């Protein structure tokens, strides 16, 4: 696995996203490597719990926009028109299911977020069973503003309808402290205490028999899945493809190619660009 590190430490499996030079941005290989690491831990009779983290300055900055926005990636995330929605769906559904390996694993997964878990990185973090954040870390799904829809749809299941709408209608990033207060994540602690908080929880869970952990996880997950989680994710994955091939999505892609993805993302996140008219917003709207 070139993009994910795996280590077994007694009863704890440690899985680390490992593209620190690009803030652990997601490329074609990372979803598959993540799923393989989860499967390895799940199959190990000595492992009771997994800890998922990111190397370097943050957990995960989302999809690698140098590859997917300025370029086009091997999955052709923006296809020539007319686009084939099923081709797009198959590519993104495979990634979504790789992220959901954290959810489907019989053993519990604790996610440790430092720095940031944004865009596709938030999809990964919110598929874990328990998520801890540093108080000053940030989480959000900024592509909700243009060129994206969170395919795992975990925002609504963690927050409820109104707070999920608050996050996805704006694409805002919030701090770990705010995320914990909202109920999006389990706990936020000062950055220097994050490792200890996660280790303490993992050690406590590791004293429980594997079968007991699996039964509790399966029962709780079943309650969520019974509400139609997979159907919601299928719709979100289709909408994600549409958002990248809508007039506004195509304008964002062209802007990223022309001005660079950092400029396009800044204009998107600050709300200074009209993606429908494909021009800078008048100052009265900014």
């Amino acid at each position: 696995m070139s993009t994910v590190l795996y280590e077994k430490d007694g009863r704890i499996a440690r899985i680390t996203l490992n593209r620190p030079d690009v803030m652990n941005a997601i490329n074609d290989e990372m979803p598959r490597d993540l799923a393989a690491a989860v499967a390895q831990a799940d199959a190990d009779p000595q492992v009771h719990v997994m800890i998922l983290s990111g190397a370097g300055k943050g957990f995960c900055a989302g999809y690698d926009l140098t590859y997917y926005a300025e370029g086009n990636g091997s999955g052709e995330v923006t296809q020539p028109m007319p686009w084939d929605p099923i081709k797009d769906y198959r590519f993104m559904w495979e990634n979504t299911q790789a992220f959901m390996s954290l959810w489907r694993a019989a053993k519990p997964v604790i996610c440790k977020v430092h720095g940031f878990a944004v865009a596709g990185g938030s999809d990964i973090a919110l598929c874990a069973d328990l998520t801890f954040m540093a108080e000053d870390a940030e989480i959000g799904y900024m592509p909700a503003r243009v060129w994206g829809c969170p395919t795992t749809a975990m925002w609504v299941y963690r927050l409820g309808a109104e707070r999920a709408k608050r996050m996805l209608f704006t694409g805002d990033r919030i701090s770990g402290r705010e995320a914990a207060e909202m109920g999006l994540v389990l706990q936020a602690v000062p950055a220097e205490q994050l490792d200890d908080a996660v280790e303490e929880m993992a050690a406590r869970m590791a004293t429980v028999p594997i079968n007991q952990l699996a039964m509790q996880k399966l029962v709780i997950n079943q309650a969520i899945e019974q509400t139609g989680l997979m159907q919601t994710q299928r719709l979100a994955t289709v909408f994600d493809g549409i958002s990248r091939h809508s007039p506004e999505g195509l304008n964002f892609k062209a802007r990223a190619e022309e001005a660079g993805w950092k400029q396009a993302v800044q204009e998107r996140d600050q709300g200074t660009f009209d993606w429908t008219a494909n021009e800078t917003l008048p100052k009265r709207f900014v």
Side-chain angles (χ1 to χ4, degrees), residues 167-231:
M167 292 302 300
L168 298 181
F169 287 172
T170 63
D172 285 344
R173 299 187 301 272
I174 57 173
S175 70
R177 186 182 299 105
E178 292 172 285
E181 290 171 354
M182 269 187 167
L184 181 65
V185 301
L186 178 66
Q187 189 176 354
V189 298
E192 65 273 14
Q193 298 176 22
L194 181 61
D195 287 345
D196 289 342
V198 170
E199 293 299 322
E200 183 179 350
M201 179 61 73
R204 176 68 173 159
M205 291 163 61
T207 63
V208 178
I210 293 171
N211 55 19
Q212 285 292 126
L213 292 168
M215 286 187 282
Q216 312 315 323
K217 178 170 178 173
L218 288 169
V219 168
I220 295 167
N221 283 9
Q222 176 63 22
I224 300 298
E225 291 166 9
Q226 197 70 14
T227 66
L229 173 61
M230 180 170 285
Q231 292 90 330

Side-chain angles (χ1 to χ4, degrees), residues 42-68:
D42 215 28
D44 191 322
Q46 295 180 327
V47 169
H48 288 234
V49 61
M50 306 173 215
I51 296 177
L52 173 65
S53 61
K57 295 180 179 179
F59 176 72
C60 179
Y63 279 86
D64 189 336
L65 296 187
T66 301
Y67 186 57
Y68 291 111

